[in-house]
Amino acid sequence: MIPNSLSLRLIATSFVWVGATLLVTAVLLVVLFREHIEQRFEAMLLDHLEELVSASELTPEGTLQMTWRPSDPRFNRPHSGWYWEILLSGMAVARSDSLWRESLKVTEPPVGEIPQIQQFYGPEDEPLRALAQDIIFPGGEKPLLFVVAGPVADIEDNVRAFTTQVAITLMVLGIGLLLVVWFQVRFGLRPLQAMQRELGDIRKGKALRLPENYPVEVEPVVSEFNSLLDHHTALLERARTQVGNLAHALKNPLTVIRNEAKAMDNERGRVIREQTAAMANSVERYLSQARIAGTAGVLGARTDVKAIIEDLCFSMERLYKEKELEIQRSVPEECWFRGEAQDLEEMLGNLIDNACKWAGSKVQVRASCATDRVLIMVEDDGPGIPEQRKPEVIRRGCRLDERVHGSGLGLDIVQDIVGLYRGSISLNQGPWGGLSVHLDLPSAT
């Protein structure tokens, strides 16, 4: 996933939300469990305190007498953490065997109050939680302080074990939820991924419109995009028609003027013929540029390179039949140019035509296709072009040999078309000593 993507945003926010929710849930569960354990612990202390009071009585002489001792064996193990003690005026009159001869550091509560919870450290410096209550027995003059204490470590151990179980459970639950979120996001955004692929097919010319079987949330976007494609196609066809009409409207009058000027065998006729020829070249050049600017980069434009080269080579073989040229071609199958067929025909037509004009006996046209580029080479065994004069050839209207028929606009127009398709053209020396022209164009493979 790339950083700026809907999938990353949805998954990241869901992960944060799920993680925060599970964390808050874990904290609440642990807090509630701790409160429950503390209440159970205090209830146990209260049970022991009531048992201790029930087992105590005063003799007629006013001394404490215990009819039985609490039965919990933890009160009998030395320094077990569970203790009880009965005090009279701060002096112990009875204690559990677990205390041995030590005493609890308890604070005496008010007489007659309900049992009071206290916390202090025991004989082993372990934290204790105790329940203390002052009770006056019938016939007694002074209250007796009953104290029952237990280790806080028991509470912490229970809470720690519960926390571990909660953490493992919620972690497994969280992983499951995150996997479900990831699957949900990927599944929910699948139509957008399909749209991306189909837009690529439109760009490559494999499709003309987006299909109409998208979910209702995406369907309005698809409909608007298809409408935009239809409008774009209509505008393009209209522009092509107008350019064609303009070319026809200009070329016919120019042809008439040139024909009339041929009958004028003087200086004025020569000037008219030269100027009308320049006008015809300019019209051809600028109308070609206007048509190319309207077609370059059009969505869905896709041209079979092999078919164009085969047609052009066949035509050139017929056109230059008297030269008995050997026109070789090597083009792989499924080689596609991302652009209009007319533009590729105009580029290759000019290059192959020039190669045939200058070739001695051989012309070769080769093509190779990569993922996003098409490389086309047109080579001949002619005289070639000197290195220092190659820049001149591409300039508008420039011809190295005026004896060869042509306007000098061919390579210039090719360069214009190549530039509009963001490609490149280079002139090199071929393997036979002649010119080798390399075209680098966008591929629709």
Side-chain angles (χ1 to χ4, degrees):
M1 290 180 292
I2 59 178
N4 188 19
S5 70
L6 289 177
S7 297
L8 182 60
R9 291 182 182 184
L10 293 173
I11 291 176
T13 53
S14 298
F15 278 20
V16 171
W17 176 251
V18 169
T21 302
L22 293 179
L23 181 61
V24 172
T25 302
V27 172
L28 289 176
L29 287 175
V30 171
V31 170
L32 293 175
F33 182 77
R34 174 180 285 276
E35 292 180 356
H36 172 69
I37 291 298
E38 289 177 350
Q39 290 174 2
R40 281 187 56 192
F41 191 83
E42 293 172 4
M44 187 183 300
L45 292 178
L46 182 59
D47 290 342
H48 288 309
L49 182 65
E50 290 177 350
E51 182 185 11
L52 193 60
V53 173
S54 299
S56 302
E57 61 181 20
L58 291 179
T59 64
E61 292 78 17
T63 59
L64 178 67
Q65 179 181 348
M66 298 191 68
T67 55
W68 76 87
R69 298 177 71 84
S71 58
D72 193 330
R74 292 176 294 182
F75 290 128
N76 300 325
R77 292 197 303 268
H79 294 174
S80 65
W82 286 89
Y83 312 107
W84 62 265
E85 190 174 24
I86 303 174
L87 298 97
L88 177 63
S89 299
M91 300 297 294
V93 294
R95 60 167 62 95
S96 63
D97 293 337
S98 57
L99 265 176
W100 283 48
R101 296 183 179 180
E102 299 187 46
S103 183
L104 298 174
K105 303 173 183 178
V106 66
T107 302
E108 189 166 345
V111 179
E113 294 289 335
I114 60 175
Q116 187 183 74
I117 291 293
Q118 298 184 21
Q119 287 198 187
F120 48 81
Y121 289 93
E124 296 290 332
D125 288 332
E126 74 276 26
L128 300 177
R129 175 167 289 200
L131 199 61
Q133 186 175 16
D134 260 336
I135 298 176
I136 299 178
F137 282 80
E141 297 180 358
K142 295 182 179 180
L144 293 172
L145 178 58
F146 290 82
V147 182
V148 178
V152 176
D154 285 7
I155 300 176
E156 299 299 334
D157 291 342
N158 288 330
V159 173
R160 191 177 300 110
F162 179 78
T163 302
T164 302
Q165 293 176 355
V166 167
I168 295 174
T169 303
L170 293 183
M171 187 177 298
V172 173
L173 178 61
I175 293 173
L177 289 174
L178 295 180
L179 289 176
V180 170
V181 167
W182 180 85
F183 175 78
Q184 180 181 4
V185 170
R186 300 294 293 180
F187 180 76
L189 295 180
R190 189 171 296 175
L192 296 182
Q193 297 172 352
M195 182 185 293
Q196 181 182 9
R197 292 192 299 269
E198 286 157 358
L199 285 174
D201 290 341
I202 292 175
R203 183 68 179 173
K204 295 177 181 179
K206 297 179 180 179
L208 297 179
R209 304 174 87 250
L210 289 174
E212 301 288 344
N213 57 347
Y214 282 95
V216 292
E217 293 82 2
V218 185
E219 190 174 348
V221 178
V222 174
S223 299
E224 290 296 328
F225 186 79
N226 284 335
S227 299
L228 182 62
L229 287 177
D230 295 339
H231 180 67
H232 178 74
T233 303
L235 288 179
L236 181 59
E237 291 298 328
R238 181 180 177 184
R240 286 174 174 171
T241 302
Q242 291 178 345
V243 168
N245 293 339
L246 181 59
H248 182 74
L250 291 175
K251 286 182 178 180
N252 286 344
L254 286 175
T255 302
V256 173
I257 295 174
R258 290 163 68 180
N259 291 335
E260 292 296 327
K262 290 179 181 179
M264 301 172 63
D265 192 12
N266 53 30
E267 183 65 18
R268 295 179 63 183
R270 185 187 64 80
V271 172
I272 293 174
R273 288 193 296 272
E274 289 180 355
Q275 294 303 312
T276 53
M279 291 173 62
N281 289 338
S282 297
V283 168
E284 181 180 355
R285 172 184 172 81
Y286 290 113
L287 287 179
S288 176
Q289 286 184 346
R291 181 187 60 78
I292 296 166
T295 59
V298 174
L299 287 175
R302 188 169 184 255
T303 302
D304 188 350
V305 176
K306 184 173 185 179
I308 296 296
I309 290 178
E310 290 289 344
D311 291 345
L312 288 174
C313 290
F314 179 80
S315 300
M316 295 301 167
E317 287 172 345
R318 296 295 179 271
L319 183 62
Y320 292 93
K321 185 177 181 179
E322 71 282 356
K323 295 186 68 173
E324 297 182 353
L325 294 175
E326 179 188 356
I327 302 179
Q328 303 173 359
R329 49 264 203 189
S330 174
V331 186
E333 299 289 343
E334 297 298 322
C335 185
W336 299 89
F337 162 62
R338 183 180 292 179
E340 290 290 320
Q342 298 176 24
D343 297 335
L344 186 61
E345 287 177 355
E346 187 154 6
M347 287 186 287
L348 294 181
N350 278 293
L351 296 180
I352 299 175
D353 184 42
N354 285 340
C356 292
K357 286 178 183 178
W358 295 97
S361 61
K362 289 189 296 185
V363 173
Q364 179 173 253
V365 183
R366 293 183 294 155
S368 61
C369 296
T371 303
D372 57 350
R373 307 302 295 176
V374 176
L375 181 62
I376 303 175
M377 289 160 283
V378 180
E379 301 166 337
D380 62 70
D381 63 346
I385 300 175
E387 188 68 30
Q388 66 274 14
R389 302 204 64 183
K390 286 179 181 178
E392 300 178 23
V393 178
I394 302 180
R395 290 209 307 265
R396 178 165 58 96
C398 178
R399 289 185 289 163
L400 297 185
D401 192 342
E402 297 293 336
R403 294 171 298 175
V404 178
H405 176 71
S407 64
L409 294 174
L411 286 178
D412 187 36
I413 292 175
V414 172
Q415 188 179 38
D416 288 341
I417 301 175
V418 170
L420 288 171
Y421 280 101
R422 297 182 181 179
S424 63
I425 180 173
S426 60
L427 307 180
N428 307 285
Q429 184 175 3
W432 302 322
L435 182 64
S436 176
V437 182
H438 292 197
L439 277 182
D440 185 356
L441 299 170
S443 169
T445 303

